[in-house]
Amino acid sequence: HFHVEEYKADWFAGGLIAHGDDQCHAHAGGVACLVHRHAPGHVQRVTTPLSVDADVNDVRAAGSPPLTHWAVVALKSIREVPPSSEPLPADAAVRSSGRLQALTQMRLAVMPLPVRNPGYPGTYGVPSNQTSAFFREGRFLVDTPLAWSYLHTHGHYVDEMALYVNASARSLGLGEAGLSPALRGYTGTCWSTPTGACRTALRGLAKQQASAGARRVCHFKRTSALSERVPGTEEIDGVFYRKSTGCIPFEIARGLPFVAVVFASPDSRAASSTPAGGIAPLHTFFRLFAAVPGVLAPTCNRGGCYLWH
C-alpha cells in the first residue's frame, strides 16, 4: 500500500496509488498489476514536489521476528512546458504538439450524507454487523472520453457498488427500493435472504436501467473469485480481495447525469465482529482518468472532484 501524492494535495487525492486490491491473483499477473501503465501516448499530470507514504502487510506467522522493509519508488516523468514562442528544451513535452495527452484524475469519492464515524482519511463508517446502502447522484462538468479507470473499496464490507450514467435515482426507482443519499441499515428477511422484497427490488435495477435508457459503466461485485486466502495473517479470515475490473469505455459529457449506488454488508461472521465499536471504515472510490484540456491537477478536494457536482 503506497501513495505518491502531490505535496500540497489531499493525502488521499491519489496522484499514484497502489492498494491490496490493485494486486491480481498470481495467474493473472500478481504484483505486476500494481504497476499502473497508461495507454501509449498518454501521461498522468502531477505537480511537484511529491510526497511518499507507504506500508506493508506482514503475512508471516504470528510471533515472527521484526521485519526490516523498505520501498523503492521509480517514476518515469517528462516536464510539461506550456505552448510558447520561445525555443523548447529537448526534454519538454508540449500537450498541444499532439505527441502526448495528459490525463487528469476525476475522483468520485462516493460517501453517504451526512458522513458519520469517519476513520482514517477519506473513509466513512458503516455498521459492521448488518446490511446498509445508499446512493449519490450528480452531473459531470466536462466533455471527454474515459481513458482509463480503476476502483477501490474494502471487500470485507462492500458487497457491491456501481456507477450508472444517463440516470437519476428516480428513473432507477431507488427511492421505491428503500434507498436514499443517507446511509440506511436493514435487518430481517428484507435484506438477509435472496427473496426478500428489498433485495428483489434492487436486483431489478437491470430492468430499470434498460427502460430508463441508463447504462451501468462501472461495477464491483464481491465474489469468491476476487478473494485470496493467506492463512496465519491478521487479515480477517486470512482473506485478501484482489483486483476487480475497472469501468467500461464511455463518453463523459457536460451535464451527463450519473448515479452511484453502494451496498455494504460483512462477508463473514468474523468480519461482522472485528471492528472496534462495531463500525467498519470504508472507501468507495471510482477513479476516472481522462484528457481534460486546461484543467490542472489536482482537481479534487475533500468533498469530491471539481469535474462533477
Side-chain angles (χ1 to χ4, degrees):
H1 174 206
F2 72 83
H3 286 232
V4 179
E5 301 282 8
E6 298 174 44
Y7 186 72
K8 295 182 179 180
D10 279 351
W11 182 84
F12 63 96
L16 300 163
I17 289 181
H19 293 93
D21 62 351
D22 289 317
Q23 181 173 327
C24 295
H25 285 291
H27 65 79
V31 295
C33 293
L34 295 173
V35 180
H36 292 176
R37 292 183 175 89
H38 292 302
H42 291 77
V43 295
Q44 183 177 337
R45 182 188 292 113
V46 296
T47 57
T48 55
L50 298 173
S51 65
V52 177
D53 295 276
D55 57 27
V56 299
N57 285 324
D58 184 354
V59 297
R60 300 176 303 160
S64 297
L67 176 69
T68 299
H69 65 278
W70 59 91
V72 177
V73 179
L75 302 176
K76 183 178 181 179
S77 64
I78 190 167
R79 185 160 59 96
E80 181 181 37
V81 176
S84 169
S85 58
E86 298 295 323
L88 298 175
D91 65 345
V94 182
R95 200 164 17 125
S96 60
S97 71
R99 288 188 290 119
L100 291 174
Q101 278 198 305
L103 300 180
T104 293
Q105 179 186 166
M106 291 178 280
R107 173 174 52 88
L108 272 63
V110 181
M111 303 182 186
L113 290 177
V115 174
R116 300 188 185 279
N117 303 301
Y120 50 91
T123 63
Y124 60 92
V126 301
S128 64
N129 62 350
Q130 68 180 70
T131 296
S132 53
F134 70 96
F135 69 81
R136 293 292 306 276
E137 56 185 336
R139 293 179 181 271
F140 289 104
L141 301 181
V142 293
D143 298 301
T144 182
L146 178 70
W148 182 70
S149 66
Y150 71 98
L151 314 182
H152 170 59
T153 191
H154 303 171
H156 285 290
Y157 297 100
V158 173
D159 178 66
E160 194 166 0
M161 66 180 192
L163 180 68
Y164 298 84
V165 296
N166 196 35
S168 67
R170 182 175 182 179
S171 69
L172 293 178
L174 297 180
E176 290 84 345
L179 275 74
S180 81
L183 187 70
R184 289 185 176 177
Y186 302 86
T187 58
T189 58
C190 181
W191 287 85
S192 61
T193 67
T195 57
C198 292
R199 181 65 74 185
T200 300
L202 290 172
R203 289 176 187 246
L205 276 174
K207 289 184 179 179
Q208 291 276 24
Q209 68 168 327
S211 62
R215 184 184 181 200
R216 190 178 71 186
V217 293
C218 309
H219 185 222
F220 167 86
K221 172 62 179 164
R222 183 176 62 206
T223 67
S224 58
L226 291 177
S227 66
E228 180 177 0
R229 188 176 297 277
V230 184
T233 68
E234 292 187 2
E235 193 72 6
I236 298 171
D237 284 332
V239 170
F240 293 80
Y241 283 94
R242 297 311 187 194
K243 192 168 190 172
S244 65
T245 56
C247 305
I248 62 175
F250 73 100
E251 289 287 329
I252 299 170
R254 185 183 301 271
L256 178 68
F258 66 82
V259 180
V261 189
V262 175
F263 312 115
S265 66
D267 67 350
S268 65
R269 187 179 298 276
S272 68
S273 59
T274 293
I279 299 296
L282 294 190
H283 282 141
T284 39
F285 286 177
F286 300 91
R287 296 185 181 272
L288 312 178
F289 293 80
V292 185
V295 178
L296 298 177
T299 60
C300 301
N301 62 14
R302 294 189 184 276
C305 194
Y306 293 141
L307 303 185
W308 65 275
H309 68 83

